[in-house]
Amino acid sequence: MGRVLAVVSQKGGVGKTTTSVNLAAAFARRGLRTLIIDVDPQGAVRYGVGLRKGHPTFGFADYLNGARSLREIILPTALPWLRCILAGSVSDSADHSFYQQLIADTNVLHDLLRIAQERCDVVVVDTPPGLGAIVHRVLEASHHVIVPLQCEPLALQTTPQILRGIQDVVDTNKDLTLDGILLTMFEPGNASSERVAAYVRSHLPGNMVFDVRIPRTDATLEAFAAGQPVVLRTPADPAAQAYVNLATLLAPRLT
Ligand SMILES: Nc1ncnc2c1ncn2[C@@H]1O[C@H](COP(=O)(O)OP(=O)(O)OP(=O)(O)O)[C@@H](O)[C@H]1O
Ligand SMILES: [Mg+2]
């Protein structure tokens, strides 16, 4: 049986999708059979995961509403061990309420995650920002959760709140472990960034914050724009190396 790892944060734009696609690619490079599932109706995984040209755009939303079969929505990527389920047609529409309601009111997501873990070693789930119904449903069926935290001044105010929210959901599932808070977009030498990193480290238990920090790099941005994880496009980049190091740290916990 594989493990389900959710990437979750209360705040938006903190690097969830970047973390999901790069960790998934790094796991697949290690030979783990990996599936990444995008349940965020914004559907950003599609732009960064390294899909083959001309790939279909349907995905989880189309399975959820019964329009597509599971076999149809599992897409190959540039990596043999990495497969992907996109968010699907919901990301082309502005109204996500029906999608949210279906996730909240049915067991389709729960059952999909169960099937996926039977067939894969690792299932990485990219989630929408916040701790709403979709994220609750994901965490009910997950074993691991990682919380990216962007190294920016607002993090000083929001960290305690983020932690409370996560602890509440972790408490609802006895099989779920908070693997750690991941500092993202860290800028070495930048006073504000260094202050946030130091604050988070000093205010949270030591084992709750990963030693690995993800630096902010141009290569990460460029890789996303080019449709690929930075770990594949620019392996020597410091952010790529940090993601590979994180995957190395997590892999033994997942297998
Ligand atoms: N290490 C990094 N270096 C440079 N840019 C980064 C890095 N990590 C993320 N970004 C950029 O920051 C932006 C937000 O990242 P991302 O989309 O991964 O966040 P998110 O938490 O998934 O956002 P949302 O809450 O909207 O889903 C993107 O433009 C992404 O390319
Ligand atoms: Mg995202």
Side-chain angles (χ1 to χ4, degrees), residues 8 10 131-132 135-137 139-140 145 147 159-178 208:
V8 163
Q10 217 148 26
L131 299 173
V135 172
H136 270 89
R137 282 304 227 164
L139 292 177
E140 275 167 22
V145 57
V147 182
T159 300
Q161 181 194 350
I162 289 169
L163 201 61
R164 253 197 323 275
I166 299 292
Q167 203 53 56
D168 285 350
V169 265
V170 169
D171 288 345
T172 63
N173 174 358
K174 64 175 174 35
D175 296 326
L176 182 65
T177 304
L178 170 59
M208 204 173 263

Side-chain angles (χ1 to χ4, degrees), residues 39 43 47 69 84 136 139 255:
V39 300
Y47 305 112
S69 68
C84 173
H136 270 89
L139 292 177
T255 48

Side-chain angles (χ1 to χ4, degrees), residues 23 27 30 179 209-212 242-254:
L23 268 185
F27 288 141
R30 298 175 64 88
D179 276 281
V209 187
F210 289 112
D211 288 335
V212 176
Y243 277 122
V244 169
N245 291 341
L246 182 63
T248 302
L249 181 91
L250 290 171
R253 302 186 196 176
L254 298 168

Side-chain angles (χ1 to χ4, degrees), residues 45 52 69 79 82 117-118 152 181 192 196 242 254:
V45 166
R52 297 187 186 156
S69 68
L79 288 175
L82 178 60
Q117 79 184 77
E118 279 167 18
E152 45 105 28
I181 291 178
S192 162
V196 172
L254 298 168

Side-chain angles (χ1 to χ4, degrees), residues 11-18 40 42 129 185 214-217 220-221 224 239:
K11 262 188 101 252
V14 297
K16 286 182 298 299
T17 302
T18 306
D40 180 356
Q42 294 178 97
M185 297 186 236
I214 311 298
R216 183 193 288 280
T217 68
T220 307
L221 269 180
F224 213 97

